[in-house]
């Protein structure tokens, strides 16, 4: 395998949309995905690259996944936290260490003090995978109100 990471290009749009649709169809507890949401994320990424990045995962120059990364400051942790909003690896590329490779790469990014992600508690396989990689449940409960 020849895994590489690069930033999103407009030519990636159809693949990103298909992968995001697959991610949300596999995640039965998640929100519905549509082009408006994907377009808004891409627009935000272009306007504020210091805040939002879309990373493309490649194997031998073929797209095998993507991730959406969001940076935010945390007083509690004393620095920037990199929130992994989405991480998706195509089914045929799963269980080959690509997710761990990706997380190891982004962990080395400058100016971050922690990585954060979320997963549905019902997805035990993914939950156990992330805990094996060093992620742990924190005492706070996340609440959200859509507006």
């Amino acid at each position: 395998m020849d895994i590489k990471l690069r930033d999103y290009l407009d030519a990636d749009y159809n693949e990103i949309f298909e992968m995001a649709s697959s991610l949300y169809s596999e995640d039965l507890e998640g929100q519905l995905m549509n082009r408006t949401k994907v377009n808004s994320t891409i627009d935000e990424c272009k306007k504020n690259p210091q805040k939002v990045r879309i990373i493309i995962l490649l194997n031998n120059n073929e797209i095998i996944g993507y991730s959406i990364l969001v940076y935010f400051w945390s007083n509690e942790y004393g620095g920037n936290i990199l929130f992994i909003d989405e991480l998706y690896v195509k089914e045929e590329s799963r269980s080959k260490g690509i997710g761990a490779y990706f997380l190891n790469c982004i962990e080395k990014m400058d100016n971050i003090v922690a990585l954060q992600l979320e997963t549905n508690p019902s997805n035990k396989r993914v939950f156990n995978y992330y805990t094996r990689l060093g992620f742990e449940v924190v005492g706070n409960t996340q609440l959200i109100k859509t507006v």
Side-chain angles (χ1 to χ4, degrees), residues 89-105:
V89 176
K90 290 181 179 179
E91 191 169 350
E92 62 272 12
S93 296
R94 294 178 188 164
S95 300
K96 297 179 181 177
I98 293 164
Y101 173 82
F102 172 76
L103 292 168
N104 186 51
C105 287

Side-chain angles (χ1 to χ4, degrees), residues 91-121:
E91 191 169 350
E92 62 272 12
S93 296
R94 294 178 188 164
S95 300
K96 297 179 181 177
I98 293 164
Y101 173 82
F102 172 76
L103 292 168
N104 186 51
C105 287
I106 65 168
E107 196 172 283
K108 297 173 184 169
M109 293 175 120
D110 291 338
N111 203 26
I112 62 168
V113 297
L115 297 177
Q116 181 182 1
L117 54 75
E118 63 185 17
T119 184
N120 288 321

